[in-house]
């Protein structure tokens, strides 16, 4: 093997180690960081939950990749799905395990890399992945989607939430950046205000709707639903949203326009469902 052939794999491994070490360090504070600080953050997370849980039914076999501290793993298990969670960070999985035990729930948790899924072909009804695919090194992207397609049953669904690089073409700053900031140019996510006092960085590559469509096509999946999350609020200055009348109207519009082109393409994040045909 030449050095050139070898180089991308080494880079990918270095990046994944970096991601893992950041989440190992912030696992016990992750849940305090993620909800953000304002009403727009609440709307954002409510919208994520509504989207994911509307796609999962009791009794289905669901795989949550990059499951972290179980923000979706736990509610899906509570909704009666038979959930498997996979994450590269053991410390994040430990938090999920604690939450499941506290609620008398169970899920099958695995430490591993989503580019190399330790599961049989055609074994899940749904694969979910929220806020995690952006950490995948670019060279691993096709492999991850191929792995997802492989483990999905025919007729199974992929349900994901990713940051929208189309939005980033206009807005370089992070709109709801209480505790982490996307550095669009540097392709990193910066975790600020950590308990340890250090700013931590991990690789971060957002997706455009068009990139997702291409990745789906290459792995035999078909996009069936594209919803924009924070389609309007993310574009408005905080001072505009501080007016409760304006904020209420924006909230109502977002509820109604989230699935409608072109607004869905303009979301700060995009929530996407794709199906593996064949049933
Ligand atoms: C921002 S957190 C999201 C966690 C959870 N899905 C949520 O929405 O709160 C990203 C998670 O992806 C995991 N992750 C990153 N790269 C991964 C990989 N290659 N394989 C598996 N998990 C990975 C991280 O360890 C981390 O727990």
């Amino acid at each position: 093997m030449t050095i050139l052939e070898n180089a991308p794999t080494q880079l990918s491994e270095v990046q994944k180690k970096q991601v893992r070490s950041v989440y190992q360090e912030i696992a016990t504070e992750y849940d305090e960081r993620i909800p953000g600080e304002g009403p727009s953050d609440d709307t954002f997370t409510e919208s994520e939950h509504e989207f994911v849980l509307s796609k999962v039914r009791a009794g289905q076999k669901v795989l949550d990749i990059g499951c972290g501290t179980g923000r979706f793993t736990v509610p899906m298990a509570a909704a009666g799905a038979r959930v498997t969670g996979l994450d590269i960070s053991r410390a994040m999985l430990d938090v999920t395990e604690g939450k499941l035990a506290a609620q008398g729930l169970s899920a099958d948790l695995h430490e591993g890399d989503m580019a190399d899924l330790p599961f049989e072909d055609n074994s899940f009804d749904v694969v979910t992945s929220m806020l995690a695919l952006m950490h995948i090194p670019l060279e691993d992207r096709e492999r991850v989607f191929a792995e997802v397609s492989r483990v999905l049953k025919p007729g199974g669904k992929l349900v994901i939430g990713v940051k929208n690089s189309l939005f980033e073409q206009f807005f370089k700053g992070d709109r709801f950046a209480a505790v982490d900031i996307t550095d669009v140019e540097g392709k990193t996510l910066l975790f600020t205000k950590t308990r340890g006092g250090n700013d931590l960085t991990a690789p971060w590559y957002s997706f455009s709707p068009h990139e997702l469509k291409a990745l789906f096509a290459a792995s035999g999946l078909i996009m069936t639903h594209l919803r924009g999350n924070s389609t309007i609020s993310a574009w408005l200055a905080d001072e505009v949203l501080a007016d409760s009348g304006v904020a209420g109207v924006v909230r109502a519009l977002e509820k109604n326009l989230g699935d409608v082109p072109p607004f869905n393409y303009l979301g700060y994040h995009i929530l996407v469902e794709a199906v593996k045909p064949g049933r």
Side-chain angles (χ1 to χ4, degrees), residues 41-121:
D41 297 306
D42 294 341
T43 310
F44 176 85
T45 47
E46 277 162 30
S47 168
E48 286 183 308
H49 275 88
E50 191 276 321
F51 189 82
V52 173
L53 290 169
S54 73
K55 306 288 186 191
V56 172
R57 291 197 306 277
Q60 284 187 319
K61 273 194 78 186
V62 180
L63 170 65
D64 190 16
I65 53 176
C67 67
T69 58
R71 226 161 46 96
F72 297 91
T73 320
V74 176
M76 289 192 294
R82 292 178 288 151
V83 188
T84 300
L86 177 127
D87 202 281
I88 205 164
S89 159
R90 182 72 248 171
M92 295 291 272
L93 291 170
D94 288 344
V95 178
T96 302
E97 197 137 41
K99 287 189 203 169
L100 289 164
Q103 296 186 38
L105 298 168
S106 66
D108 189 16
L109 300 180
H110 293 255
E111 184 178 341
D113 179 0
M114 61 173 93
D116 193 9
L117 294 175
F119 308 111
E120 293 191 356
D121 297 1

